[in-house]
């Protein structure tokens, strides 16, 4: 026998014999002419074709290094993990695949939560809300701009009646008349309602 048996290779890589048989059937192992397994070539082929997230065995030191991840991506992963109270990777290549995958799952969950809130009507469109608040503020400003012209005639007639009785206008009377008209103006402005539907 030139190479390893299925059982010997399974012990070599830390997998079950069934997993080795499955890898053999799918062509992920290199075999010699006698059907035995070429361990070195098979290790390289498995490393190249195995998804790290589905691998149970720890990567060996001989595993080829992957492309470095940019620092901006690492900081985004770190921010996401930090928001959730999870351990954060060190910037500069210290992120593990598991940390990146966890951050990705957290972001997907947050995105689903926002979509669900929008579907339930708990969130509103920012531009629409800003437009509604702007319209409301403009209506309130316009109400106050036109108020003196409307209230002046009413106040003058009320004050003229008060002065005619005794000939003296006290500051308290002026304040009382002004307060009653300001309250009436505020009551009319309170009737404005924002419709977010």
């Amino acid at each position: 026998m030139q190479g390893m048996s299925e059982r010997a290779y399974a012990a070599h890589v830390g997998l079950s014999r069934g997993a080795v048989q499955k890898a053999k059937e799918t062509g992920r192992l290199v075999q010699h002419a006698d059907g035995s397994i070429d361990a070195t070539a098979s290790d390289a082929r498995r490393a190249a074709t195995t998804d790290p997230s589905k691998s149970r065995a720890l990567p060996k030191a001989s595993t080829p290094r992957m492309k470095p991840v940019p620092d901006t991506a690492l900081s985004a992963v770190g921010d996401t993990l930090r928001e959730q109270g999870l351990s954060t990777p060190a910037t500069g290549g210290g992120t593990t695949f598991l940390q990146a995958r966890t951050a990705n799952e957290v972001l997907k969950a947050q995105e689903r939560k926002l979509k669900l809130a929008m579907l339930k009507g708990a969130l509103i469109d920012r531009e629409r809300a800003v437009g509604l608040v702007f319209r409301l503020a403009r209506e309130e400003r316009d109400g106050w701009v036109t108020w003196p012209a409307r209230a002046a005639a009413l106040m003058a007639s009320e004050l003229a009646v008060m002065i005619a009785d005794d000939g003296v206008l006290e500051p308290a009377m002026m304040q009382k008349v002004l307060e009653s008209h300001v309250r009436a103006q505020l009551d009319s402005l309170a009737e404005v309602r924002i419709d977010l539907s």
Side-chain angles (χ1 to χ4, degrees):
M1 186 181 275
Q2 290 179 327
M4 296 178 137
S5 67
E6 289 176 357
R7 185 169 283 134
Y9 187 72
H12 167 71
V13 294
L15 296 173
S16 68
R17 186 169 177 217
V20 171
Q21 288 173 341
K22 187 174 180 182
K24 193 175 183 183
E25 290 169 9
T26 58
R28 293 178 52 222
L29 299 181
V30 178
Q31 295 176 301
H32 291 291
D34 64 355
S36 62
I37 300 170
D38 180 349
T40 309
S42 293
D43 289 346
R45 184 176 288 177
R46 281 186 56 251
T49 59
T50 302
D51 182 358
S53 67
K54 296 180 180 173
S55 174
R56 291 186 202 158
L58 294 173
K60 295 183 178 180
S62 64
T63 304
R65 294 198 41 94
M66 295 184 199
K67 273 175 62 174
V69 179
D71 285 344
T72 54
L74 291 177
S75 65
V77 168
D79 292 343
T80 302
L81 292 173
R82 208 173 359 271
E83 287 172 6
Q84 299 302 312
L86 301 170
S87 62
T88 58
T91 306
T95 300
T96 65
F97 181 78
L98 181 60
Q99 287 173 320
R101 186 169 185 173
T102 301
N104 184 44
E105 292 301 318
V106 167
L107 287 174
K108 285 197 286 188
Q110 289 173 343
E111 183 180 15
R112 286 186 194 120
K113 185 178 177 182
L114 286 175
K115 284 182 180 178
L116 183 61
M118 288 182 82
L119 290 173
K120 287 182 175 180
L123 293 179
I124 58 171
D125 181 33
R126 177 184 167 85
E127 290 180 27
R128 186 166 179 260
V130 168
L132 287 171
V133 170
F134 181 78
R135 182 179 54 84
L136 178 65
R138 176 157 292 189
E139 287 175 6
E140 187 172 342
R141 182 197 60 128
D142 291 346
W144 278 106
V145 166
T146 59
W147 177 74
R150 286 181 286 127
L154 296 171
M155 289 172 63
S157 67
E158 289 178 29
L159 292 173
V161 169
M162 290 179 188
I163 293 172
D165 290 344
D166 60 5
V168 178
L169 176 62
E170 294 183 22
M173 288 183 185
M174 178 65 181
Q175 180 179 349
K176 186 176 178 183
V177 170
L178 183 59
E179 281 179 356
S180 68
H181 287 282
V182 167
R183 282 196 179 98
Q185 171 67 4
L186 291 174
D187 287 343
S188 70
L189 291 174
E191 294 171 7
V192 177
R193 295 283 183 250
I194 297 178
D195 180 19
L196 299 176
S197 60

